[in-house]
Amino acid sequence: MLNKTGQFKDYIVYGSGQVFNLVAPFIIAPYVIAVSGMENWGRIGIALSVFTLLGIFIDFGSQLIGVKELSINKGNTAKIKAQLDEVYTFRAIAFIVITVLLLGALLVLDLDYRLYLCGVAMLFSQFLNPLWIYQAFEEFTVINRIIILSKAIYLITVYVFVKDTDTYQYMLLCYGGANAAIYGFFLAKLYAKYHLSLFNVPVSRLVDNFRKEFPIVVSNFSISVYTYGPILIVGELSGEYVAGIYHVGDMLLKIIRSYLSVFFNVSFPKFCSAFNADKEKGLNFLKTINKYHLGLLAFGLFMAYVIVLLLLERVSISKELHEGIVYGVKFLGIGFIIALNIPFYQLLIYYNKQKSVSVISVLGAIVMFMSCYLLTRAFSIDGSITSLYIVEVFITVSIIIVCYKKVFSGGLRLQNLEGNK
């Protein structure tokens, strides 16, 4: 039997740390916009999207498959060491390859080379990132320390080094550098504990790992494409100033995504452990936790909508920031649509249906590009948010349908998910 008090405590502990992830952008955004302008804020938003997409290839499948493998092998030091050796050897190779390709692109493409050179720090921090390990071990207090320390350094360095339109590029360096410093410290502790050995992994294991995780990488990349791709399209069709407005609005959606990330990251290892021990109890856990989650989320989104609009009438902020926030509240409904697919997504990952998830994600990315391009071109920034709703509905419906066909029809009974009758 899963300890409900312990579960609730984990959500609170992990969620409290994520508050710093949510607050930091809202502290930094007004300052950076004021000193560098909305146009440069748009450039930053576009670059952040690019490096987020590149970071997927460094993460590879560790955020899902890696968490699953570690969570079901707790206490088995040999398997944990083998998994960590594989992941970080692969990450090191991916980081080197992506960095070289990026530097080559800067020589050919007409890009803000200082901005993108500063962004290499983000790639390096992604290589070091140990959060997924502590997530698998459910050590959420440690995760909080990492988040709080990295965000504190990030905030301080932005205010120290970003002073005007000539220094806005340093924001990416501050972000990546702060994460790299803290990630590196905590990874070093794990390195010593498990006696990790990079580049001492057989090539055959790396190839097998690549084949196993490639579908989920395609899936994650596609998800990131339809999540971060719209700002690239907005910037191309409507200009960097409008992209800046979109970036401000998108920060509100990131609050919801961060919340959903907390829920997913805490519940997924617990679900894997419970489901691995007893299928029926695992399904009941999934059903119960998601029932309460959806109810709280619906209430929270409604209150957020009301509170944001009330605050805007009472707080004195710049016209540009006001415009971005007004636009951003239109994102709120997307969060509930995304939340509907979480339990089905977790089941598909547990049953290694990565290829099915990958196909859905690729189709979602295609739908995003087509709908966002056409609607943004016709209706500007309002068209882009409409395309997001279209994509998320498509993704959620597809995941639910595939889960019914691939999982339930394969032996799991639907009534188990709905509880014992």
Side-chain angles (χ1 to χ4, degrees):
M1 179 66 67
L2 292 170
N3 188 303
K4 292 184 178 180
T5 303
Q7 295 170 35
F8 182 73
K9 179 181 177 182
D10 285 342
Y11 285 108
I12 295 298
V13 170
Y14 188 34
S16 64
Q18 293 299 313
V19 169
F20 288 87
N21 276 334
L22 304 180
V23 170
F26 286 94
I27 295 175
I28 288 173
Y31 171 75
V32 176
I33 292 172
V35 300
S36 67
M38 184 61 76
E39 188 172 344
N40 286 330
W41 178 250
R43 292 192 180 105
I44 291 171
I46 292 170
L48 282 170
S49 295
V50 170
F51 284 106
T52 299
L53 293 173
L54 293 177
I56 296 297
F57 295 102
I58 296 175
D59 276 340
F60 223 65
S62 59
Q63 300 288 355
L64 290 174
I65 305 301
V67 169
K68 171 190 167 184
E69 293 299 322
L70 293 185
S71 66
I72 63 179
N73 288 296
K74 291 177 182 177
N76 191 328
T77 303
K79 288 190 176 181
I80 291 173
K81 170 181 165 48
Q83 182 70 24
L84 296 181
D85 284 346
E86 287 180 26
V87 168
Y88 278 98
T89 297
F90 198 95
R91 281 189 174 198
I93 296 171
F95 168 70
I96 293 169
V97 171
I98 291 172
T99 302
V100 170
L101 292 175
L102 176 64
L103 295 177
L106 291 178
L107 295 175
V108 177
L109 302 176
D110 183 21
L111 296 173
D112 185 337
Y113 74 92
R114 285 205 301 168
L115 179 64
Y116 286 87
L117 284 176
C118 287
V120 173
M122 292 181 60
L123 298 180
F124 183 62
S125 71
Q126 204 62 40
F127 156 63
L128 297 173
N129 190 350
L131 291 175
W132 65 283
I133 304 171
Y134 291 108
Q135 176 196 336
F137 296 155
E138 300 181 48
E139 296 183 15
F140 301 111
T141 301
V142 178
I143 293 177
N144 279 358
R145 291 184 198 138
I146 295 173
I147 292 172
I148 292 171
L149 288 171
S150 62
K151 286 298 176 288
I153 295 173
Y154 171 45
L155 287 170
I156 293 170
T157 53
V158 165
Y159 278 89
V160 170
F161 295 108
V162 179
K163 294 294 187 180
D164 49 40
T165 56
D166 292 326
T167 56
Y168 73 93
Q169 297 98 334
Y170 296 152
M171 181 174 167
L172 296 190
L173 181 60
C174 295
Y175 182 70
N179 285 341
I182 302 303
Y183 290 169
F185 174 79
F186 281 87
L187 180 61
K189 295 172 68 175
L190 292 168
Y191 189 97
K193 179 178 180 179
Y194 293 104
H195 307 288
L196 304 186
S197 53
L198 296 185
F199 302 110
N200 193 27
V201 180
V203 175
S204 60
R205 275 170 54 187
L206 292 176
V207 172
D208 289 341
N209 190 59
F210 178 86
R211 289 173 178 170
K212 180 177 67 175
E213 298 186 5
F214 183 74
I216 203 66
V217 174
V218 173
S219 172
N220 288 342
F221 182 75
S222 299
I223 291 171
S224 294
V225 165
Y226 66 70
T227 301
Y228 296 96
I231 193 172
L232 305 179
I233 295 174
V234 171
E236 180 65 26
L237 296 180
S238 302
E240 291 166 337
Y241 181 89
V242 177
I245 297 294
Y246 181 95
H247 188 201
V248 173
D250 189 48
M251 289 193 306
L252 292 177
L253 180 57
K254 282 184 172 60
I255 292 178
I256 303 173
R257 292 192 187 278
S258 293
Y259 164 76
L260 294 177
S261 176
V262 170
F263 176 77
F264 185 96
N265 291 340
V266 174
S267 64
F268 186 58
K270 292 180 181 296
F271 162 68
C272 288
S273 297
F275 198 71
N276 188 59
D278 187 300
K279 297 291 187 290
E280 184 175 340
K281 288 183 179 179
L283 286 171
N284 285 334
F285 166 76
L286 204 61
K287 171 236 174 180
T288 302
I289 200 69
N290 279 279
K291 178 177 68 176
Y292 289 114
H293 169 241
L294 289 173
L296 289 171
L297 180 62
F299 176 75
L301 291 177
F302 173 75
M303 292 303 298
Y305 182 85
V306 172
I307 290 171
V308 168
L309 293 182
L310 288 176
L311 285 177
L312 281 177
E313 295 180 358
R314 293 167 171 78
V315 178
S316 177
I317 56 177
S318 68
K319 177 183 177 182
E320 292 87 353
L321 190 58
H322 183 280
E323 188 177 355
I325 294 175
V326 168
Y327 174 73
V329 296
K330 300 177 183 179
F331 282 95
L332 295 178
I334 297 173
F336 190 80
I337 299 172
I338 298 172
L340 290 172
N341 72 50
I342 287 179
F344 303 95
Y345 183 62
Q346 291 181 338
L347 276 168
L348 289 174
I349 296 301
Y350 184 90
Y351 275 97
N352 294 315
K353 303 298 180 181
Q354 293 95 310
K355 290 184 179 179
S356 297
V357 174
S358 176
V359 170
I360 293 171
S361 301
V362 170
L363 291 175
I366 295 172
V367 171
M368 185 283 292
F369 268 111
M370 294 177 61
S371 61
C372 189
Y373 181 84
L374 294 174
L375 292 173
T376 301
R377 188 168 186 174
F379 305 105
S380 188
I381 200 167
D382 289 325
S384 61
I385 189 170
T386 302
S387 73
L388 290 180
Y389 276 93
I390 292 172
V391 171
E392 294 299 348
V393 168
F394 171 80
I395 294 293
T396 295
V397 171
S398 299
I399 286 177
I400 292 174
I401 291 174
V402 169
C403 189
Y404 273 64
K405 289 184 177 180
K406 299 285 186 178
V407 176
F408 294 117
S409 64
L412 284 178
R413 294 177 301 168
L414 177 60
Q415 56 262 41
N416 281 342
L417 184 61
E418 296 174 344
N420 295 327
K421 295 182 179 179

